[in-house]
Amino acid sequence: MDRVPILKIGNVLLVSIQLDLQDLTVLALQEDLADRITATGAHGVIIDITAVEIVDSFIGRMFATIAAMSRLMDAETVVVGMRPAVAITLVELGLSLGGVRTALDLEEGMRLLGAGVRGGAGAP
């Protein structure tokens, strides 16, 4: 079974999904992420789905479940990089991803979590 790597950047955990998501992979991610939040005390989670082309109702519900779990553990979740086709599919499936904030890209996601990127165009 493939595992999704979880990277720590400051107070934020970055989950960059670069593989086709299978149900078992998402369940493992949920467990791994809970362990990492506990171990690191992270206050933010960014799930980068830029490479995700297809979602089904299970995967969509798991994004909302992961966000709810993270929130209970005092970590806010932002999903970044959603493709238009994925957004359309989620809407067609009737999934609202309640409680999940979204952003177009990683930089905006970091800004939403108050973890800005230094050295950007507007940096001093």
Side-chain angles (χ1 to χ4, degrees):
M1 174 179 57
D2 292 324
R3 305 285 276 211
V4 177
I6 302 171
L7 306 174
K8 184 176 183 296
I9 303 172
N11 226 3
V12 173
L13 296 177
L14 174 61
V15 178
S16 183
I17 299 172
Q18 300 294 319
L19 48 89
D20 290 332
L21 290 173
Q22 305 297 320
D23 293 355
L24 290 177
T25 305
V26 176
L27 290 172
L29 171 61
Q30 182 180 356
E31 192 172 314
D32 292 347
L33 188 56
D35 290 343
R36 287 295 303 267
I37 291 171
T38 301
T40 63
H43 290 288
V45 175
I46 292 180
I47 301 175
D48 179 8
I49 62 170
T50 304
V52 174
E53 296 181 10
I54 299 171
V55 294
D56 60 17
S57 60
F58 178 77
I59 302 296
R61 282 194 313 272
M62 288 308 295
F63 287 148
T65 300
I66 287 171
M69 175 203 69
S70 299
R71 197 170 35 254
L72 287 173
M73 300 177 78
D74 196 27
E76 184 178 355
T77 300
V78 178
V79 174
V80 303
M82 186 178 301
R83 292 174 181 231
V86 171
I88 291 168
T89 301
L90 291 174
V91 170
E92 288 176 348
L93 292 172
L95 299 173
S96 66
L97 301 183
V100 179
R101 297 175 78 181
T102 59
L104 291 179
D105 57 35
L106 178 59
E107 186 173 357
E108 180 66 15
M110 295 288 283
R111 190 191 64 73
L112 285 174
L113 293 174
V117 178
R118 293 184 184 161

